[in-house]
Coordinates of all heavy atoms in Angstrom, one line a residue:
M1 N 8.2 -9.7 -2.3 CA 8.9 -10.3 -3.5 C 8.4 -9.6 -4.7 O 9.1 -9.4 -5.6 CB 8.4 -11.8 -3.5 CG 9.3 -12.5 -4.6 SD 10.9 -12.5 -4.0 CE 11.7 -13.3 -5.5
K2 N 7.0 -9.1 -4.7 CA 6.5 -8.4 -5.8 C 7.2 -7.1 -6.0 O 7.5 -6.6 -7.2 CB 5.0 -8.2 -5.7 CG 4.2 -9.5 -5.9 CD 2.8 -9.0 -5.9 CE 1.8 -10.3 -5.9 NZ 0.5 -9.9 -5.9
R3 N 7.6 -6.4 -4.8 CA 8.3 -5.1 -4.9 C 9.6 -5.3 -5.6 O 10.1 -4.5 -6.3 CB 8.4 -4.5 -3.5 CG 7.1 -3.9 -3.2 CD 7.2 -3.2 -1.8 NE 7.1 -4.1 -0.7 CZ 7.4 -3.9 0.6 NH1 8.0 -2.7 0.8 NH2 7.3 -4.8 1.5
V4 N 10.4 -6.3 -5.1 CA 11.7 -6.6 -5.6 C 11.6 -6.9 -7.2 O 12.4 -6.2 -7.9 CB 12.3 -7.8 -4.9 CG1 13.7 -8.1 -5.6 CG2 12.4 -7.5 -3.4
L5 N 10.6 -7.6 -7.6 CA 10.5 -8.0 -9.1 C 10.1 -6.7 -9.8 O 10.8 -6.4 -10.9 CB 9.4 -9.0 -9.2 CG 9.2 -9.5 -10.6 CD1 10.5 -10.1 -11.1 CD2 8.1 -10.4 -10.7
S6 N 9.2 -5.8 -9.3 CA 8.9 -4.6 -10.0 C 10.1 -3.7 -10.0 O 10.2 -2.9 -11.0 CB 7.7 -4.0 -9.4 OG 7.9 -3.7 -8.0
A7 N 10.9 -3.6 -8.9 CA 12.0 -2.7 -9.0 C 13.1 -3.0 -9.9 O 13.7 -2.3 -10.7 CB 12.7 -2.7 -7.5
V8 N 13.2 -4.5 -10.0 CA 14.2 -5.0 -11.0 C 13.7 -4.6 -12.4 O 14.5 -4.4 -13.2 CB 14.6 -6.5 -10.7 CG1 15.4 -7.2 -11.9 CG2 15.3 -6.7 -9.5
L9 N 12.5 -4.9 -12.7 CA 11.9 -4.6 -14.0 C 12.0 -3.2 -14.3 O 12.4 -2.9 -15.5 CB 10.5 -5.1 -14.0 CG 9.8 -4.9 -15.3 CD1 10.4 -5.8 -16.3 CD2 8.4 -5.4 -15.2
A10 N 11.7 -2.2 -13.3 CA 12.0 -0.7 -13.7 C 13.3 -0.5 -14.0 O 13.6 0.3 -14.9 CB 11.3 -0.1 -12.4
V11 N 14.3 -1.0 -13.2 CA 15.7 -0.7 -13.4 C 16.1 -1.2 -14.8 O 16.9 -0.5 -15.5 CB 16.5 -1.3 -12.3 CG1 17.9 -1.2 -12.6 CG2 16.2 -0.5 -10.9
A12 N 15.7 -2.4 -15.1 CA 16.0 -2.9 -16.5 C 15.5 -2.1 -17.6 O 16.2 -1.9 -18.6 CB 15.6 -4.5 -16.5
T13 N 14.3 -1.7 -17.4 CA 13.6 -0.8 -18.4 C 14.4 0.5 -18.6 O 14.7 0.9 -19.7 CB 12.2 -0.5 -18.0 OG1 11.5 -1.8 -17.8 CG2 11.6 0.3 -19.2
I14 N 14.8 1.1 -17.4 CA 15.5 2.4 -17.6 C 16.9 2.2 -18.1 O 17.4 2.9 -19.0 CB 15.6 3.1 -16.2 CG1 14.3 3.5 -15.6 CG2 16.6 4.2 -16.1 CD1 14.3 3.9 -14.2
A15 N 17.5 1.1 -17.8 CA 18.9 0.8 -18.3 C 18.9 0.6 -19.9 O 19.6 0.9 -20.6 CB 19.6 -0.4 -17.6
G16 N 17.8 -0.2 -20.2 CA 17.6 -0.5 -21.7 C 17.3 0.7 -22.4 O 17.8 1.0 -23.5
S17 N 16.5 1.7 -21.9 CA 16.3 2.9 -22.6 C 17.5 3.9 -22.7 O 17.7 4.5 -23.6 CB 15.1 3.7 -21.9 OG 15.5 4.1 -20.7
L18 N 18.3 3.8 -21.7 CA 19.6 4.6 -21.7 C 20.5 4.0 -22.7 O 21.3 4.7 -23.4 CB 20.2 4.6 -20.3 CG 19.5 5.5 -19.3 CD1 20.1 5.4 -17.9 CD2 19.5 7.0 -19.7
A19 N 20.5 2.6 -22.8 CA 21.5 2.1 -23.8 C 21.0 2.3 -25.2 O 21.9 2.5 -26.0 CB 21.5 0.5 -23.5
I20 N 19.7 2.3 -25.4 CA 19.3 2.6 -26.7 C 19.4 4.0 -27.1 O 19.7 4.4 -28.2 CB 17.9 2.2 -26.9 CG1 17.7 0.6 -26.7 CG2 17.2 2.5 -28.2 CD1 16.3 0.0 -26.7
A21 N 19.1 4.9 -26.2 CA 19.2 6.4 -26.5 C 20.6 6.9 -26.6 O 20.8 8.0 -27.1 CB 18.4 7.2 -25.3
A22 N 21.6 6.2 -26.0 CA 23.0 6.7 -26.1 C 23.4 6.7 -27.5 O 23.2 5.7 -28.1 CB 23.8 5.7 -25.1
P23 N 24.3 7.7 -27.9 CA 24.8 7.8 -29.3 C 25.8 6.7 -29.4 O 26.3 6.1 -28.4 CB 25.3 9.2 -29.3 CG 25.6 9.6 -28.0 CD 24.6 8.9 -27.2
S24 N 26.0 6.2 -30.6 CA 27.2 5.2 -30.8 C 28.5 5.9 -30.6 O 28.8 7.0 -30.9 CB 27.1 4.7 -32.3 OG 27.3 5.7 -33.2
A25 N 29.3 5.0 -30.0 CA 30.7 5.5 -29.5 C 31.6 5.5 -30.9 O 31.5 4.7 -31.7 CB 31.3 4.6 -28.6
S26 N 32.5 6.5 -31.0 CA 33.3 6.7 -32.1 C 34.6 7.1 -31.5 O 34.7 7.3 -30.2 CB 32.9 7.8 -33.1 OG 33.0 9.0 -32.5
A27 N 35.7 7.0 -32.3 CA 37.1 7.4 -31.8 C 37.2 8.9 -31.3 O 37.9 9.1 -30.4 CB 38.1 7.1 -32.8
R28 N 36.4 9.7 -31.7 CA 36.4 11.2 -31.5 C 35.5 11.6 -30.4 O 35.7 12.5 -29.6 CB 36.3 12.1 -32.7 CG 37.4 12.0 -33.7 CD 37.1 12.9 -34.9 NE 35.9 12.2 -35.6 CZ 35.1 12.9 -36.4 NH1 35.3 14.2 -36.5 NH2 34.2 12.3 -37.2
D29 N 34.4 10.8 -30.3 CA 33.3 11.2 -29.2 C 33.4 10.2 -28.1 O 33.3 9.1 -28.2 CB 32.0 11.0 -30.0 CG 30.8 11.3 -29.1 OD1 31.0 12.3 -28.3 OD2 29.7 11.0 -29.4
R30 N 33.5 10.8 -26.9 CA 33.6 10.1 -25.7 C 32.3 10.1 -25.0 O 32.1 9.8 -23.8 CB 34.8 10.7 -24.8 CG 36.1 10.6 -25.3 CD 36.6 9.3 -25.7 NE 37.3 8.8 -24.5 CZ 37.8 7.5 -24.4 NH1 37.7 6.8 -25.4 NH2 38.3 7.2 -23.3
G31 N 31.3 10.7 -25.6 CA 29.9 10.8 -25.0 C 29.3 9.3 -24.7 O 28.5 9.3 -23.7
G32 N 29.6 8.3 -25.5 CA 29.1 7.1 -25.3 C 29.6 6.5 -23.9 O 28.9 5.9 -23.1
A33 N 30.9 6.7 -23.6 CA 31.4 6.3 -22.2 C 30.8 7.0 -21.1 O 30.6 6.4 -20.1 CB 32.8 6.4 -22.3
I34 N 30.5 8.3 -21.4 CA 29.9 9.1 -20.2 C 28.5 8.5 -20.0 O 28.1 8.4 -18.9 CB 30.0 10.5 -20.5 CG1 31.4 11.1 -20.5 CG2 29.1 11.3 -19.6 CD1 31.6 12.5 -21.0
A35 N 27.7 8.3 -21.1 CA 26.4 7.9 -21.0 C 26.3 6.5 -20.3 O 25.5 6.2 -19.5 CB 25.7 7.9 -22.3
A36 N 27.3 5.6 -20.7 CA 27.2 4.3 -20.1 C 27.5 4.4 -18.6 O 27.0 3.7 -17.8 CB 28.3 3.4 -20.8
G37 N 28.5 5.2 -18.2 CA 28.8 5.4 -16.9 C 27.5 6.0 -16.0 O 27.3 5.5 -14.9
V38 N 26.9 7.0 -16.6 CA 25.7 7.4 -16.0 C 24.7 6.4 -15.7 O 24.0 6.1 -14.7 CB 25.2 8.8 -16.7 CG1 23.8 9.1 -16.2 CG2 26.2 9.8 -16.6
G39 N 24.5 5.7 -16.9 CA 23.5 4.5 -16.7 C 23.9 3.5 -15.8 O 22.9 3.1 -15.0
L40 N 25.0 3.0 -15.7 CA 25.5 2.1 -14.7 C 25.3 2.6 -13.4 O 25.0 1.9 -12.3 CB 26.9 1.6 -15.0 CG 26.9 0.7 -16.3 CD1 28.4 0.4 -16.5 CD2 26.2 -0.6 -16.1
G41 N 25.7 3.9 -13.1 CA 25.5 4.5 -11.9 C 24.1 4.6 -11.5 O 23.8 4.3 -10.2
I42 N 23.2 4.9 -12.2 CA 21.8 4.9 -12.0 C 21.3 3.4 -11.7 O 20.5 3.2 -10.8 CB 20.8 5.6 -13.1 CG1 21.2 7.1 -13.2 CG2 19.4 5.3 -12.9 CD1 20.6 7.7 -14.4
L43 N 21.8 2.5 -12.4 CA 21.3 1.2 -12.3 C 21.8 0.6 -10.9 O 21.1 0.0 -10.0 CB 22.0 0.3 -13.4 CG 21.8 -1.2 -13.3 CD1 20.3 -1.5 -13.6 CD2 22.5 -1.9 -14.3
G44 N 23.1 1.0 -10.5 CA 23.5 0.5 -9.3 C 22.9 1.2 -8.1 O 22.6 0.6 -7.1
G45 N 22.5 2.5 -8.2 CA 21.9 3.1 -7.2 C 20.4 2.6 -7.1 O 19.9 2.5 -5.9
A46 N 19.8 2.2 -8.1 CA 18.4 1.6 -7.9 C 18.5 0.2 -7.3 O 17.6 0.0 -6.5 CB 17.9 1.5 -9.4
I47 N 19.5 -0.5 -7.6 CA 19.6 -1.8 -7.0 C 19.8 -1.6 -5.6 O 19.3 -2.5 -4.7 CB 20.7 -2.7 -7.7 CG1 20.2 -3.1 -9.1 CG2 21.0 -3.9 -6.9 CD1 21.3 -3.7 -10.0
A48 N 20.8 -0.9 -5.2 CA 21.1 -0.6 -3.7 C 19.9 0.0 -3.0 O 19.5 -0.4 -1.9 CB 22.3 0.3 -3.6
G49 N 19.2 0.8 -3.6 CA 18.0 1.4 -2.9 C 16.9 0.4 -2.7 O 16.4 0.3 -1.7
A50 N 16.7 -0.5 -3.7 CA 15.8 -1.6 -3.7 C 16.1 -2.5 -2.4 O 15.4 -3.0 -1.7 CB 15.6 -2.4 -4.9
A51 N 17.4 -2.8 -2.4 CA 17.9 -3.8 -1.3 C 17.7 -3.1 0.1 O 17.3 -3.7 1.0 CB 19.4 -4.1 -1.6
I52 N 18.0 -1.9 0.2 CA 17.8 -1.2 1.5 C 16.4 -1.2 1.8 O 15.9 -1.3 2.9 CB 18.5 0.2 1.5 CG1 19.9 0.1 1.4 CG2 18.0 1.1 2.6 CD1 20.6 1.4 1.1
A53 N 15.4 -0.9 0.8 CA 14.1 -0.7 1.0 C 13.4 -2.0 1.5 O 12.4 -1.9 2.2 CB 13.3 -0.1 -0.1
N54 N 14.0 -3.1 1.0 CA 13.3 -4.3 1.3 C 13.9 -5.1 2.4 O 13.6 -6.2 2.8 CB 13.3 -5.3 0.1 CG 12.4 -4.8 -1.0 OD1 11.2 -4.4 -0.7 ND2 12.7 -4.9 -2.2
S55 N 14.9 -4.5 3.2 CA 15.5 -5.2 4.2 C 14.7 -5.0 5.5 O 13.8 -4.1 5.6 CB 17.0 -4.5 4.5 OG 16.8 -3.1 5.0
A56 N 14.8 -6.0 6.4 CA 13.9 -6.0 7.6 C 14.5 -5.0 8.5 O 15.7 -4.8 8.6 CB 14.0 -7.4 8.2
P57 N 13.6 -4.3 9.3 CA 14.1 -3.3 10.3 C 14.7 -4.0 11.5 O 14.4 -5.2 11.8 CB 12.9 -2.6 10.7 CG 11.7 -3.6 10.5 CD 12.2 -4.3 9.3
A58 N 15.6 -3.4 12.2 CA 16.4 -4.0 13.2 C 15.3 -4.1 14.4 O 14.5 -3.2 14.7 CB 17.6 -3.1 13.6
P59 N 15.4 -5.2 15.3 CA 14.5 -5.2 16.4 C 14.9 -4.2 17.5 O 16.1 -3.8 17.6 CB 14.8 -6.7 16.9 CG 16.1 -7.0 16.5 CD 16.3 -6.4 15.1
A60 N 13.8 -3.7 18.1 CA 14.1 -2.6 19.0 C 14.8 -3.0 20.3 O 15.9 -2.5 20.5 CB 12.7 -1.9 19.3
Y61 N 14.2 -3.9 21.0 CA 14.8 -4.3 22.3 C 14.7 -5.8 22.4 O 14.0 -6.3 23.4 CB 14.3 -3.6 23.4 CG 14.6 -2.2 23.5 CD1 13.5 -1.3 23.1 CD2 15.7 -1.6 23.8 CE1 13.7 0.0 23.0 CE2 16.0 -0.3 23.8 CZ 15.0 0.5 23.5 OH 15.2 1.9 23.4
G62 N 15.1 -6.6 21.5 CA 15.1 -8.0 21.5 C 13.5 -8.5 21.0 O 13.1 -7.8 20.0
Y63 N 13.1 -9.5 21.6 CA 11.7 -9.9 21.3 C 10.6 -9.2 21.9 O 10.7 -9.1 23.2 CB 11.7 -11.4 21.4 CG 12.6 -12.2 20.7 CD1 13.9 -12.7 21.2 CD2 12.5 -12.3 19.3 CE1 14.7 -13.4 20.4 CE2 13.4 -13.0 18.5 CZ 14.6 -13.6 19.1 OH 15.5 -14.2 18.4
G64 N 9.6 -8.9 21.2 CA 8.5 -8.2 21.9 C 7.3 -9.1 22.0 O 7.4 -10.3 21.7
P65 N 6.2 -8.7 22.6 CA 5.1 -9.7 22.8 C 4.4 -9.9 21.5 O 4.6 -9.2 20.5 CB 4.1 -8.8 23.7 CG 4.5 -7.4 23.4 CD 6.0 -7.4 23.1
G66 N 3.8 -11.0 21.5 CA 3.1 -11.6 20.3 C 1.9 -10.7 20.0 O 1.5 -9.8 20.7
P67 N 1.3 -10.8 18.8 CA 0.1 -10.0 18.4 C -1.2 -10.4 19.3 O -1.2 -11.5 19.7 CB -0.2 -10.4 17.0 CG 0.5 -11.8 16.8 CD 1.6 -11.8 17.8
V68 N -1.9 -9.3 19.6 CA -3.0 -9.6 20.4 C -4.3 -9.5 19.5 O -4.5 -8.5 18.9 CB -3.2 -8.6 21.6 CG1 -4.4 -8.7 22.4 CG2 -1.9 -8.7 22.5
Y69 N -5.0 -10.5 19.5 CA -6.3 -10.6 18.7 C -7.5 -10.4 19.7 O -7.7 -11.2 20.5 CB -6.5 -11.9 18.0 CG -5.4 -12.1 17.1 CD1 -4.3 -12.9 17.4 CD2 -5.3 -11.4 15.9 CE1 -3.2 -13.3 16.6 CE2 -4.2 -11.6 15.0 CZ -3.2 -12.5 15.3 OH -2.1 -12.7 14.4
V70 N -8.4 -9.4 19.5 CA -9.5 -9.1 20.2 C -10.7 -9.4 19.3 O -10.9 -8.9 18.3 CB -9.6 -7.5 20.6 CG1 -10.8 -7.2 21.4 CG2 -8.3 -7.1 21.4
E71 N -11.4 -10.3 19.9 CA -12.6 -10.7 19.2 C -13.9 -9.9 19.6 O -14.3 -9.7 20.8 CB -13.0 -12.2 19.5 CG -14.0 -12.7 18.5 CD -14.2 -14.2 18.8 OE1 -13.2 -14.9 19.1 OE2 -15.3 -14.7 18.8
E72 N -14.2 -9.1 18.6 CA -15.3 -8.1 18.8 C -16.6 -8.9 18.5 O -16.8 -9.7 17.7 CB -15.2 -6.9 17.9 CG -14.0 -6.1 18.2 CD -13.9 -4.8 17.5 OE1 -14.9 -4.4 16.9 OE2 -12.9 -4.2 17.3
P73 N -17.6 -8.5 19.2 CA -19.0 -9.0 18.9 C -19.5 -8.8 17.6 O -19.2 -7.7 17.0 CB -19.9 -8.5 20.0 CG -19.3 -7.1 20.4 CD -17.8 -7.4 20.2
A74 N -20.2 -9.7 17.1 CA -20.8 -9.6 15.8 C -22.0 -8.5 15.8 O -23.0 -8.7 16.4 CB -21.3 -10.8 15.2
C75 N -21.8 -7.4 15.1 CA -22.7 -6.4 15.1 C -23.3 -6.2 13.7 O -22.6 -6.4 12.7 CB -22.1 -5.1 15.5 SG -21.5 -5.1 17.2
R76 N -24.6 -5.7 13.7 CA -25.2 -5.5 12.4 C -26.2 -4.3 12.4 O -26.6 -3.8 13.5 CB -26.0 -6.7 11.9 CG -27.0 -7.1 12.8 CD -27.7 -8.4 12.4 NE -29.0 -8.7 13.1 CZ -29.1 -9.1 14.3 NH1 -27.9 -9.5 15.0 NH2 -30.2 -9.3 14.9
L77 N -26.5 -3.6 11.3 CA -27.4 -2.6 11.4 C -28.7 -3.1 11.0 O -29.0 -3.8 10.1 CB -27.1 -1.6 10.3 CG -25.7 -0.8 10.7 CD1 -25.3 0.1 9.5 CD2 -25.8 0.1 11.9
V78 N -29.7 -2.6 11.9 CA -31.2 -3.0 11.7 C -32.0 -1.8 11.5 O -31.8 -0.7 12.2 CB -31.6 -3.9 12.9 CG1 -33.0 -4.2 12.8 CG2 -30.7 -5.0 13.2
R79 N -33.0 -1.9 10.7 CA -33.9 -0.8 10.5 C -35.0 -0.9 11.5 O -35.6 -1.9 11.7 CB -34.5 -0.8 9.1 CG -33.4 -0.5 7.9 CD -34.1 -0.7 6.7 NE -35.2 0.2 6.5 CZ -35.6 0.7 5.4 NH1 -35.2 0.4 4.2 NH2 -36.7 1.5 5.3
E80 N -35.2 0.3 12.2 CA -36.3 0.3 13.3 C -37.3 1.3 13.0 O -36.8 2.5 12.7 CB -35.4 0.6 14.6 CG -36.3 0.7 15.8 CD -35.5 0.9 17.0 OE1 -35.2 2.2 17.2 OE2 -35.1 0.0 17.7
R81 N -38.5 1.0 13.2 CA -39.5 2.1 12.9 C -39.8 2.7 14.3 O -39.9 2.0 15.3 CB -40.8 1.5 12.4 CG -40.8 1.2 11.0 CD -42.1 0.6 10.4 NE -43.2 1.4 11.0 CZ -44.4 1.1 10.7 NH1 -44.8 0.1 10.0 NH2 -45.4 2.0 11.1
F82 N -40.1 4.0 14.3 CA -40.4 4.7 15.6 C -41.3 5.8 15.3 O -41.3 6.4 14.1 CB -39.1 5.1 16.4 CG -38.4 6.3 15.6 CD1 -38.6 7.5 16.0 CD2 -37.6 6.1 14.5 CE1 -38.0 8.7 15.4 CE2 -36.9 7.1 14.0 CZ -37.1 8.4 14.3
W83 N -42.1 6.2 16.3 CA -43.0 7.3 16.1 C -42.3 8.5 16.8 O -41.8 8.6 17.9 CB -44.3 7.0 17.1 CG -45.3 8.0 17.0 CD1 -45.6 9.0 18.0 CD2 -46.2 8.3 16.0 NE1 -46.5 9.8 17.6 CE2 -47.0 9.4 16.3 CE3 -46.5 7.7 14.8 CZ2 -48.0 9.9 15.6 CZ3 -47.5 8.3 14.0 CH2 -48.2 9.4 14.4
D84 N -42.2 9.6 16.0 CA -41.6 10.8 16.4 C -42.5 11.9 16.9 O -42.2 13.0 17.1 CB -40.6 11.4 15.3 CG -41.4 11.9 14.1 OD1 -42.5 11.6 14.1 OD2 -40.7 12.5 13.3
G85 N -43.8 11.5 17.0 CA -44.8 12.5 17.3 C -45.6 13.1 16.3 O -46.6 13.6 16.4
Y86 N -45.0 13.0 15.1 CA -45.7 13.6 13.9 C -46.2 12.5 12.9 O -47.0 12.5 12.1 CB -44.9 14.5 13.1 CG -44.6 15.8 14.0 CD1 -43.4 16.0 14.6 CD2 -45.7 16.8 14.1 CE1 -43.1 17.1 15.4 CE2 -45.4 17.9 15.0 CZ -44.0 18.1 15.5 OH -43.9 19.1 16.3
G87 N -45.3 11.3 13.1 CA -45.6 10.2 12.2 C -44.6 9.0 12.4 O -43.5 9.3 13.1
W88 N -44.7 8.0 11.6 CA -43.8 6.9 11.7 C -42.5 7.1 11.0 O -42.6 7.7 9.8 CB -44.4 5.6 11.2 CG -45.3 5.0 12.2 CD1 -46.7 5.1 12.1 CD2 -45.1 4.4 13.3 NE1 -47.3 4.6 13.2 CE2 -46.3 3.9 14.0 CE3 -44.0 3.9 14.0 CZ2 -46.4 3.3 15.2 CZ3 -44.1 3.2 15.1 CH2 -45.2 2.9 15.8
R89 N -41.3 6.9 11.4 CA -40.1 7.2 10.7 C -39.3 6.0 10.8 O -39.4 5.1 11.7 CB -39.4 8.4 11.3 CG -40.3 9.7 11.2 CD -39.5 10.8 11.5 NE -38.4 11.1 10.5 CZ -37.4 11.9 10.6 NH1 -37.4 12.8 11.5 NH2 -36.4 12.0 9.7
V90 N -38.2 5.9 10.0 CA -37.3 4.7 10.1 C -35.9 5.2 10.3 O -35.4 6.1 9.8 CB -37.3 3.9 8.7 CG1 -36.4 2.7 8.7 CG2 -38.8 3.4 8.5
R91 N -35.2 4.5 11.3 CA -33.8 4.7 11.6 C -33.0 3.5 11.5 O -33.6 2.4 11.8 CB -33.6 5.7 12.9 CG -34.1 4.8 14.1 CD -33.8 5.6 15.3 NE -34.5 4.9 16.4 CZ -34.8 5.6 17.6 NH1 -34.5 6.9 17.7 NH2 -35.3 4.9 18.6
R92 N -31.7 3.5 11.4 CA -30.8 2.5 11.5 C -30.2 2.4 12.8 O -29.6 3.4 13.4 CB -29.8 2.5 10.3 CG -30.4 2.5 9.0 CD -29.5 2.7 7.9 NE -28.6 1.6 7.7 CZ -27.7 1.4 6.8 NH1 -27.5 2.4 6.0 NH2 -27.0 0.3 6.8
V93 N -30.3 1.3 13.5 CA -29.7 1.0 14.8 C -28.9 -0.2 14.8 O -29.0 -1.1 14.0 CB -30.9 0.7 15.7 CG1 -30.3 0.4 17.2 CG2 -31.9 1.8 15.7
Q94 N -27.6 0.0 15.5 CA -26.6 -1.0 15.5 C -26.9 -2.0 16.6 O -27.2 -1.6 17.7 CB -25.3 -0.5 15.7 CG -24.2 -1.5 15.6 CD -22.7 -0.8 15.8 OE1 -22.6 0.4 16.1 NE2 -21.7 -1.6 15.6
V95 N -27.1 -3.2 16.2 CA -27.4 -4.3 17.2 C -26.3 -5.3 17.3 O -25.8 -5.8 16.2 CB -28.7 -5.1 16.8 CG1 -29.0 -6.2 17.7 CG2 -29.9 -4.1 16.7
C96 N -25.8 -5.6 18.5 CA -24.6 -6.5 18.8 C -25.1 -7.6 19.5 O -25.9 -7.6 20.5 CB -23.5 -5.9 19.5 SG -22.8 -4.3 18.6
D97 N -24.8 -8.9 19.0 CA -25.3 -10.1 19.8 C -24.1 -10.4 20.8 O -23.1 -10.2 20.7 CB -25.4 -11.2 18.7 CG -26.5 -10.9 17.7 OD1 -27.4 -10.2 18.0 OD2 -26.5 -11.4 16.5

């Protein structure tokens, strides 16, 4: 839903900026009509693109199996002291319960 709202907001911003930046229409100048057509085309394309992007994908072969949840053991890192032949050192070891 957030994507749809942000897409609509972006399209409205672009359309508003095109409407403000377009020169005023006069009897001799047809540039305003062209700018309005371009702006509406971009607006329609953005709305259609947002609708396509947010549509659900088609199911591949009917219904698939449900999600599988694997419960992994709780693991943690523990500091362990060991003698390496020259002196005491510390290393981190993963311990799983």
